[in-house]
Amino acid sequence: MRNYQLKSIVFCFLFFGSITSSFAQINKNSFIKYIDSANNAFDENPKLARLYLDSIPQPVEKNIEGHVADYFKLRGIINDRFNNRAELFQNFLLALKYAKIENNYDIAGMASVELFYNKYFIQSDSISAFNYLNEAKVYYRKGNNINGLADVKQMYAYVQLNEGNYDKSNKLILQDLSEYKAIKDDGYYYMYALFMLSSNYIHQEDLYNSHKYFNRLKTLKKDTTIT
């Protein structure tokens, strides 16, 4: 009798334990869906995307385990839409922190580029800024992210343009121009390269080359890969 009762108790304990675990998993999955919804909404409706993220209860580290870097990345992107620079920087710092923990090299690279941009162009802190850009290169290489590496290269060229070193900027772009053009899934990189070339040449009063690259830029109007 005692053995039967003991077996019954153990069975009930295991049964309810498995039910609790299942519900916990279901709840986590239901919270993760808000990440996907926010990701789909942020471009056209950042307010709605923010509401999706607000629907995830705290602590997010437990409720969306394994997706925390994504959460803070989206927070940072939404901050950018509302021009909230202080929160943007903090959210990308957290995105980088959790991307390292989750071994998410794409988000680690992207967050590092965003931190570089804000440090260099907003806070005028070039020393720590380039540390982030170098980190981005490391993470994108680990993830074999061709587009991400192109983004890093273009940041170096844009810095030279911004500082008035137009010839240096052009050299950096031209050595990789065919690589940017070859990225077929996102025409942005080729478009941005052409924009910088045209800008650099117009500053150098080289109207021939400025028009040459600007005309190439205009041909990308129908490129549906450019958001």
Side-chain angles (χ1 to χ4, degrees):
M1 183 68 176
R2 287 181 181 178
N3 286 340
Y4 174 76
Q5 289 176 330
L6 181 61
K7 287 179 180 179
S8 297
I9 292 169
V10 171
F11 173 77
C12 288
F13 178 78
L14 292 173
F15 175 75
F16 283 112
S18 66
I19 290 294
T20 303
S21 176
S22 297
F23 274 120
Q25 189 62 43
I26 290 169
N27 284 337
K28 283 185 179 181
N29 288 337
S30 69
F31 297 142
I32 290 168
K33 75 181 182 184
Y34 292 126
I35 295 287
D36 295 330
S37 298
N39 197 47
N40 292 329
F42 76 81
D43 199 37
E44 294 185 0
N45 195 337
K47 287 184 179 179
L48 178 61
R50 187 167 59 187
L51 287 173
Y52 282 129
L53 295 181
D54 289 343
S55 300
I56 301 170
Q58 298 290 334
V60 294
E61 292 83 356
K62 290 184 178 180
N63 289 314
I64 51 169
E65 189 176 354
H67 300 266
V68 183
D70 242 321
Y71 171 87
F72 285 112
K73 177 199 77 173
L74 287 166
R75 285 283 188 196
I77 292 171
I78 293 166
N79 293 147
D80 185 49
R81 295 294 188 273
F82 291 106
N83 201 29
N84 189 336
R85 291 289 159 188
E87 287 190 23
L88 177 151
F89 191 78
Q90 290 304 313
N91 279 312
F92 278 121
L93 275 177
L94 289 167
L96 179 57
K97 172 187 173 181
Y98 286 101
K100 290 178 180 179
I101 294 170
E102 296 168 359
N103 291 321
N104 191 324
Y105 300 129
D106 289 341
I107 292 181
M110 182 261 194
S112 296
V113 170
E114 290 295 334
L115 291 168
F116 158 76
Y117 188 88
N118 278 272
K119 276 288 184 181
Y120 188 85
F121 293 104
I122 308 301
Q123 299 179 27
S124 300
D125 180 358
S126 59
I127 296 174
S128 60
F130 281 102
N131 289 336
Y132 284 121
L133 196 57
N134 290 331
E135 274 195 68
K137 191 188 303 180
V138 171
Y139 292 124
Y140 280 141
R141 280 178 177 166
K142 283 184 177 181
N144 194 30
N145 189 323
I146 302 301
N147 293 12
L149 288 169
D151 199 20
V152 171
K153 288 179 181 179
Q154 291 192 333
M155 280 294 102
Y156 285 110
Y158 184 66
V159 165
Q160 295 303 323
L161 184 159
N162 187 67
E163 293 183 353
N165 301 321
Y166 307 118
D167 191 51
K168 285 184 179 180
S169 179
N170 278 343
K171 286 178 180 177
L172 288 171
I173 300 164
L174 288 169
Q175 70 186 14
D176 294 307
L177 188 60
S178 58
E179 177 187 320
Y180 302 141
K181 188 177 182 179
I183 301 174
K184 299 301 183 184
D185 63 323
D186 193 344
Y188 166 83
Y189 299 99
Y190 186 48
M191 178 199 74
Y192 194 54
L194 294 174
F195 156 73
M196 286 193 286
L197 286 171
S198 184
S199 298
N200 285 328
Y201 281 120
I202 200 71
H203 279 102
Q204 293 176 307
E205 298 183 0
D206 184 342
L207 296 181
Y208 173 80
N209 278 309
S210 182
H211 279 112
K212 172 184 171 181
Y213 290 108
F214 183 65
N215 286 332
R216 290 187 190 181
L217 175 62
K218 289 192 290 185
T219 66
L220 300 177
K221 283 183 179 180
K222 296 180 181 179
D223 189 333
T224 57
T225 68
I226 301 173
T227 56

